Amino acid sequence: MAILSVERVSKVYPSLSKGDAPVMALREVTLEVQKNEFCSVLGHSGCGKTTLLNMIAGFESCTEGKIFCADAQVLRPGADRSMVFQDYALFPWLTVRDNISFGPRLRGAVEASDPWVAHLIDLVGLTRFASHFPHQLSGGMRQRVSIARALAVNPTVLLMDEPFAALDAQNRAMMQQEMIRILNEETKTVVLVTHSIEEAINLSDVIIVMTRRPGRVKETIRVPRPRKMSEHSQEYQALKDQIRELISNEQDLSDVI
């Protein structure tokens, strides 16, 4: 059952200067994400990945086409879709606990209860740091707060916009493993935008490979034995090579790792 449907969606940005042509970021993108599926959207810079995510979130409108989440058309932001941003976007004047509980408390939702918030703090391994402020945390810890805050409203779909891109390689690998652990406990439908082929393979059930701008779905790849393949296995390397080949046929790989 598809929990998220993108139906022939296009996005055109008007020209910024007189005489310039409008910019088509996406052209007739169609895809489905099943319930509890982890879907990664992969492609080089400028292919419209983040634009697509922002439209799913309701931050931007479609020029053409429609997006549905749990059978309801997406027309604006909603608590059924929450976003984890690359830059953490935490409130610096709030503690870990208050950042996580902010959304549910604003809505007066049952998820604002102290046991639920305490569960999320424990889930992301920050119980000892619940009273700390963001400036007192490492980058990886701040991103854990961002993930817990996004989960706090109990969304239908969790959206992630290159959430680990600002971390060094060691912390990025650690956060990928943490993400797997967290989602094993709090099962969610996830859409991740990433530049990293390895990250997409390590986390995903399905990978959407985009063409260059205007972005379209070039290939939908099912990951065999998701999150269980060794990076040294032939199966893993073959999948990595397949994805690199798909992207290299579109443009230089300098921004895809």
Side-chain angles (χ1 to χ4, degrees), residues 56-83:
I56 294 171
F59 300 152
E60 295 191 40
S61 60
C62 306
T63 304
E64 295 180 0
K66 296 179 180 179
I67 298 174
F68 294 89
C69 181
D71 296 326
Q73 186 175 354
V74 173
L75 298 172
R76 60 186 64 85
D80 58 337
R81 291 150 285 125
S82 57
M83 179 84 84

Side-chain angles (χ1 to χ4, degrees), residues 16-69:
L16 296 177
S17 303
K18 186 176 181 180
D20 289 345
V23 175
M24 176 168 276
L26 294 166
R27 176 181 289 162
E28 295 192 347
V29 172
T30 295
L31 60 90
E32 289 187 342
V33 182
Q34 307 302 312
K35 185 176 181 180
N36 298 335
E37 194 168 62
F38 196 117
C39 173
S40 288
V41 182
L42 185 65
H44 56 78
S45 294
C47 72
K49 302 185 301 296
T50 295
T51 296
L52 176 61
L53 203 69
N54 284 337
M55 289 194 294
I56 294 171
F59 300 152
E60 295 191 40
S61 60
C62 306
T63 304
E64 295 180 0
K66 296 179 180 179
I67 298 174
F68 294 89
C69 181

Side-chain angles (χ1 to χ4, degrees), residues 50 53-54 83-86 159-163 191-193:
T50 295
L53 203 69
N54 284 337
M83 179 84 84
V84 179
F85 298 94
Q86 180 178 339
L159 306 172
M160 307 183 78
D161 187 10
E162 301 193 59
V191 180
L192 167 75
V193 159

Side-chain angles (χ1 to χ4, degrees), residues 8 12 15 27 50 66 90 99 154 171 209 223 230 253:
R8 298 179 66 86
V12 178
S15 58
R27 176 181 289 162
T50 295
K66 296 179 180 179
L90 301 177
N99 262 288
N154 198 19
N171 278 315
V209 180
V223 179
S230 166
L253 278 172

Side-chain angles (χ1 to χ4, degrees), residues 34-174:
Q34 307 302 312
K35 185 176 181 180
N36 298 335
E37 194 168 62
F38 196 117
C39 173
S40 288
V41 182
L42 185 65
H44 56 78
S45 294
C47 72
K49 302 185 301 296
T50 295
T51 296
L52 176 61
L53 203 69
N54 284 337
M55 289 194 294
I56 294 171
F59 300 152
E60 295 191 40
S61 60
C62 306
T63 304
E64 295 180 0
K66 296 179 180 179
I67 298 174
F68 294 89
C69 181
D71 296 326
Q73 186 175 354
V74 173
L75 298 172
R76 60 186 64 85
D80 58 337
R81 291 150 285 125
S82 57
M83 179 84 84
V84 179
F85 298 94
Q86 180 178 339
D87 60 357
Y88 317 129
L90 301 177
F91 297 116
W93 60 89
L94 296 182
T95 64
V96 167
R97 180 183 292 106
D98 290 340
N99 262 288
I100 293 171
S101 64
F102 181 84
R105 290 188 189 281
L106 192 66
R107 297 171 55 235
V110 67
E111 289 89 353
S113 66
D114 288 337
W116 170 244
V117 174
H119 164 70
L120 291 174
I121 293 171
D122 181 63
L123 180 67
V124 296
L126 293 176
T127 300
R128 290 175 49 216
F129 302 91
S131 297
H132 283 55
F133 292 90
H135 75 271
Q136 297 173 302
L137 306 175
S138 68
M141 293 166 76
R142 276 177 277 179
Q143 197 56 286
R144 292 187 195 192
V145 179
S146 296
I147 292 168
R149 185 179 62 178
L151 291 171
V153 294
N154 198 19
T156 303
V157 179
L158 180 65
L159 306 172
M160 307 183 78
D161 187 10
E162 301 193 59
F164 313 133
L167 303 177
D168 59 51
Q170 183 176 353
N171 278 315
R172 184 169 187 158
M174 181 188 71

